[in-house]
Amino acid sequence: MNFQNEINNDIKFLAKSEIRLKILSELYDSPDNVRGIVKRTNITYSSVSSNISKLEQNDHVEKIDNKYYINPMSEIYFKTLMDFKNSVDLITDYNDFWDNHNLNQLSLDCIKNITDLKDSQLIETTPLDIYKTHNTIKSQLLESSSIKAIFPYLHPEYPLLIEHILKNNGSVELLIPRSIYKAIMSRISDKIRKNASKRGKLIAYPIKDDLKIYLTICDESMSLGLFKDDGSFDQNRILICDSEKSQKWAETLFENIKHDVIK
């Protein structure tokens, strides 16, 4: 049996049982004995006892001073399985957001770390609230002192929102298509725009290539929007999140796209 087969068998052994994964999850947080695991999980004593014995026999856990500890390699297996599960859950839960949408501008790093968005909320328009996605974005921008954004299309309120941030001594960094660059910049107060640009508070990159993604990074939240496979922007749904991991994920995406499109 080669090393790769051993790894595959180990992962299959762990993934095959929800109880074993639950036990590992508890031990991953802190070592414990059988009775402690029973109390923390509400799994029966017999089930915990039999499964932890199997884990010990397969060298996934080790008993030290009446407490069980996960072995280092098994910690890696467990984290890999949990990352995969969280990725599947994220895609499944928000299937309408991901399916039949253009994901080409998501970098490999961002796809690999898609679980950083696991605490996201999907905002969708409804027949009674057709402006729900835009109003959510608007609220995020109004509450922020600084933003980084990829605006692939022109909305009449974007220049005013940018001006509002700059007027309050905030900072704005934009990636926008060259085709709408002048339309956005010309609608910001000339005095505010020039003053902010001079002080490095307004940085806007006119991009000649098509931008097939929408992104905002605000003070405490991020939002992500996608284009459909037919080339139109999906204005009916956005993904928003306010976790620290999602902020870093969005920063990575922004910088990767900026690096790719600025020639």
Side-chain angles (χ1 to χ4, degrees):
M1 181 183 293
N2 62 36
F3 184 64
Q4 184 176 350
N5 285 337
E6 287 182 12
I7 293 176
N8 289 338
N9 289 336
D10 280 338
I11 291 177
K12 287 177 184 177
F13 169 77
L14 296 176
K16 195 174 181 180
S17 169
E18 285 287 338
I19 292 177
R20 287 197 282 269
L21 287 175
K22 184 62 177 174
I23 291 171
L24 287 180
S25 177
E26 296 300 328
L27 296 180
Y28 186 80
D29 290 336
S30 64
D32 210 340
N33 55 34
V34 173
R35 291 192 181 279
I37 297 170
V38 169
K39 187 175 181 180
R40 288 158 63 182
T41 62
N42 290 320
I43 301 172
T44 64
Y45 185 93
S46 59
S47 292
V48 171
S49 180
S50 63
N51 277 281
I52 207 160
S53 293
K54 292 176 183 177
L55 288 167
E56 189 175 17
Q57 290 166 14
N58 286 273
D59 296 324
H60 291 297
V61 300
E62 181 181 6
K63 190 175 184 181
I64 303 173
D65 295 332
N66 201 39
K67 286 188 177 182
Y68 289 94
Y69 294 74
I70 303 181
N71 289 327
M73 186 57 72
S74 297
E75 281 196 18
I76 296 173
Y77 294 157
F78 173 73
K79 189 175 184 307
T80 300
L81 283 168
M82 290 301 99
D83 285 346
F84 177 73
K85 180 182 181 300
N86 288 334
S87 296
V88 172
D89 288 346
L90 180 67
I91 293 168
T92 302
D93 291 346
Y94 302 138
N95 184 63
D96 288 343
F97 180 77
W98 303 108
D99 194 31
N100 297 319
H101 285 77
N102 187 334
L103 306 178
N104 290 339
Q105 286 197 291
L106 292 184
S107 65
L108 188 59
D109 282 341
C110 289
I111 292 173
K112 184 176 67 175
N113 296 314
I114 199 73
T115 54
D116 290 348
L117 301 180
K118 67 182 179 67
D119 296 321
S120 296
Q121 179 183 1
L122 181 63
I123 305 297
E124 296 183 280
T125 59
T126 68
L128 296 178
D129 191 355
I130 61 173
Y131 300 111
K132 187 174 182 179
T133 54
H134 173 69
N135 287 337
T136 300
I137 293 166
K138 181 178 177 179
S139 177
Q140 287 179 314
L141 296 176
L142 286 173
E143 294 172 2
S144 293
S145 61
S146 64
I147 68 162
K148 289 184 179 181
I150 299 174
F151 291 149
Y153 63 92
L154 175 62
H155 188 283
E157 289 198 82
Y158 284 167
L160 296 176
L161 292 168
I162 294 168
E163 183 176 306
H164 170 79
I165 294 170
L166 297 176
K167 191 186 296 183
N168 288 282
N169 202 36
S171 61
V172 175
E173 184 175 358
L174 301 173
L175 299 178
I176 48 181
R178 185 171 293 174
S179 58
I180 65 172
Y181 176 82
K182 287 184 179 179
I184 289 181
M185 293 297 114
S186 63
R187 296 180 192 181
I188 301 171
S189 161
D190 193 53
K191 181 180 179 181
I192 291 173
R193 187 185 73 249
K194 289 182 177 179
N195 183 48
S197 297
K198 184 178 180 180
R199 294 185 299 125
K201 293 285 188 174
L202 173 62
I203 303 172
Y205 300 97
I207 308 302
K208 67 177 181 180
D209 299 330
D210 286 341
L211 292 168
K212 294 298 182 182
I213 201 164
Y214 165 89
L215 181 72
T216 60
I217 308 166
C218 299
D219 291 349
E220 297 180 355
S221 62
M222 57 77 65
S223 59
L224 176 69
L226 299 174
F227 278 71
K228 300 175 185 177
D229 285 340
D230 64 10
S232 63
F233 180 68
D234 187 352
Q235 299 187 52
N236 294 321
R237 50 185 62 86
I238 57 169
L239 211 60
I240 66 170
C241 196
D242 59 6
S243 70
E244 185 177 343
K245 281 189 174 183
S246 71
Q247 291 286 91
K248 291 180 179 178
W249 185 92
E251 286 274 0
T252 298
L253 178 58
F254 183 89
E255 293 302 325
N256 284 342
I257 292 177
K258 183 170 77 170
H259 177 269
D260 288 343
V261 298
I262 295 177
K263 305 293 194 293

